[in-house]
Each structure stands twice: as structure tokens, then as C-alpha cells.
Amino acid sequence: MTVALTGTLIVVGGGTIAAPHIWAQPAGEQQVAEADDFYLPPPSLPDGRGTIVRAEPATVAMSAPGQPGVVPAAATRMMYVSSDTHDAPTAVVGTYLQPTVPWNGPGERPLIAYAGGTKGQGDQCAPSKLMSTIAEFQPPLDIIFEYDLVAIRSLLNRGVAIVVTDYHGLGTPDVHDYLNRKSQAYAVLDSARAALQLPDTGLNPGTPVILYGYSQGGMASAGAAELQSSYAPDLNVRGAYVGGPVVDDEYFIGFNDGRADFAPSIAWILNGIAADYPETRPVLDAELNDLGKAILQESLGKCAVPAGLAQEHGRTSEWTTSGEPITAVIDRSPVLQSAFAEQRIGTRAPAVPVLAASAMNDQGAPFAPVRDVAAGWCGGGVPVQLEANAEIPPASGLVGTHVIAFFPAMVASQQWLTDRLAGMPAPSNCAALP
């Protein structure tokens, strides 16, 4: 399993904490100096969502337990045009993986639009960068367990083509708006559009597409399934696998408040809200104390799972001037309420079948709202199969229930997608959902 070690740490001296505005970004000159030129968008972007801005062959150095080090694919790194949460054009980077083994399934070779799990908020956390190196070291030590690699390799071994988005703001100069419903969905859909434009792949505009993701990727896949019919009706999407998704950012914050291992995720969400919704910045600036501001500023450059201020102060009541948790701050601020409402999955029904997977004891992405979203989609006439795993016991830490549940869900998902490509009727257990 790939392990990347990266990150930075704010130095706190004399009992005081430097507290810049939470929306402050690294200086543009610093980003240019540190970033590969490939990740710097041109002054103006070409027309058309999914249009490729630039592409180049990429080196992929990935390994997984029990698997050889050679990846059964040729890689292309590409920058393409997508949309931000306000539907304005933005540049996103992704990686296309052309399998070296034949597709032996039904019909033509499909394309998996793969939405990765949580990587962090620092530019060095971008999946397209992590794919090119097995381990990267920067003190102090942050750790990324690249569990997506297991699913990616398994899919490649089946002969499917894969495109993996970095999401908006990872690697590029913008702030990565972590768990943003629309920008994540757009990045996934436009990655598929871009991959279909690459030459000499055997893909074409009518190639079958499957949306696929777990954790952060589950939310991205869910959002893409909901928005595809209006945003990307040109794609031949056959179904969506939505694994372990976060479906409500505020619920997620309240559910995980006080747990050190999820505190960085809360900071990443707030950083993304502040970056995307300028009207929220004065509220957050007034409500967060110096410690809270320092946690958010530090987290901007962090990968998952980082070690730092957030873990040391896991309760968000320690972050606020009032001593109340962040959810209380959100609930009394109309602008924050509005911004968080826009991140909720379940506001519209997908136009494609969905396989949703969630562990009933998931300690990170809670089961109850996932069940509610699935039931709502059922009410909209969507064939939904909800795999509710009750066998995995509650477990916390780096390898908790949320991570463990990834593996059985992955196995079920790959047979499900093969059946969708074969044109078999989509299974549904909607009648059993409350």
C-alpha cells in the first residue's frame, strides 16, 4: 500500500499562535516556485467543459500488497476545463490510465470516472502527483494510506480504462474545496469528457461510463450522478457506485466533532467554504479564535493523515471565540447555513442506477444520512441498491470501520458495474428502505 509522507507545521512559540485570516493562501510567487509548471493554468482557458488544456505522458509508480510493482496501464496526465462551485470555468488536473490488458467484459471497453478518497488540502496531495512516486518525504511526517490503489489496480486488471481526477484546487493554485458537492461532481464528469478526447485510446464519445468513488469519492460520485443529466448529458453514463459517502458536511462535522483523527477534515471543509463563499469570511473571522485560525491555516498545506494542531485540539469548541462547537456557529449564521446547504447530497434524483455502500457502524461517514439519501432517491424512481454492512464492528483510528468497509464494498461494486455494462436490469432494495 502506497505511503506518502509530506507536510508543514506551524511553529507555536511563547504560548501564542500566529493567526492569519483563514482564507489566506500561500503567495502566488511561492506557489509558482513550488509547483510543476504543468499545474499552472494559462491566463485564459479554452471553451468547452472537459476540453483538454495540455497533456503529457506520466510515470506511475504504484504498488499494493501482494501485487507486482508494474502497473498494468500507460498513464497520461492532463489538465482540463471544468467548473467551480459557482459554475465558472476552472482548470483541473487528472490522470488517464490506459490498461495494457484486454477488456473481456460485455460490449466495448468502458471508462471508469474514478473519484478518489481523501488526500488532504495541500497541493502535494494531488493524486496525479502521488501516482508518480511511491514515497515522498518532507518533515514533519504526514501519512497518506493510498487505499484507492487497491481498487484502481483491480479495475485495470479487468481491462477497464480509468480516469482519476485531482478535484478542483489540488495541485493548481486555487484552494481545494474539500467535500464541495458541485465542484467535485463537475471535476468527475469533466474528467470523463477529457479522457474521451485523448487520441489512440480506442474510446469514443459513446463509450460507456461508470461513476465510481468511495469516501470523499463517494460524495463526488453521488454528486456527479445527481448532476450528470443536466451538466453532462453527452456522457453515456450507465451507473454510479457511491461508497461510504459524506452526504451532508454539517452533519459530518457534528458527528465527528471531538475526534482527533477527523479534526483535519473539519478544517479542510471550513477552508473550502471560506475560499468559495467570500460572504462567509467575516463571520468565520469573528467566530474563530487565534487557535482556530491557526488550525485552518496550517491545514491548507496538509495531506491526510496529518499530525498537527488539529489533532491536538479535536473539539471545535476550542476553536471558537464563544466556546461553542462549529455546528452552533453555522446554525446561527444565515450565510454559513446557505453555503452548507449547497453541499448536501439528495436534493435531486440521479438519472442512472446507483449502488450505495455504507457500513452501519461507520465511524467517519455516518450511515443514517446515507440511508436517508438512498430512500429519497428511491422516491424519485431511481433503482438503488443500498448495501448496508452490519458485520464490521465499530473501530476507530487510522484503520477504522470506514477504511475497512472499503474492501468488501469494492468487491461487490465491480460485479455490479459489469452487470450494468451488460445491460442487465439494475437491482433495487428500495422496498426495504424506511
Side-chain angles (χ1 to χ4, degrees), residues 10 16 35 59 97 105 146 155 177 187 221 224 259 261 264 291 311 323 332 377 399 404 409 414:
I10 287 180
T16 60
T59 299
L97 298 168
E146 187 58 283
L155 290 165
D177 41 5
S221 180
R259 299 186 49 210
D261 47 343
L291 172 63
Q311 283 88 343
R332 67 164 178 263
W377 285 344
V399 187
I404 296 170
Q414 296 192 15

Side-chain angles (χ1 to χ4, degrees), residues 339-360:
F340 274 87
E342 290 192 15
Q343 313 319 320
R344 295 191 184 110
I345 298 294
T347 58
R348 61 180 70 188
V352 297
V354 175
L355 171 65
S358 178
M360 297 182 72

Side-chain angles (χ1 to χ4, degrees), residues 84-102:
D84 65 15
T85 194
H86 301 297
D87 301 304
T90 190
V92 176
V93 172
T95 305
Y96 173 72
L97 298 168
Q98 175 78 11
T100 56
V101 299

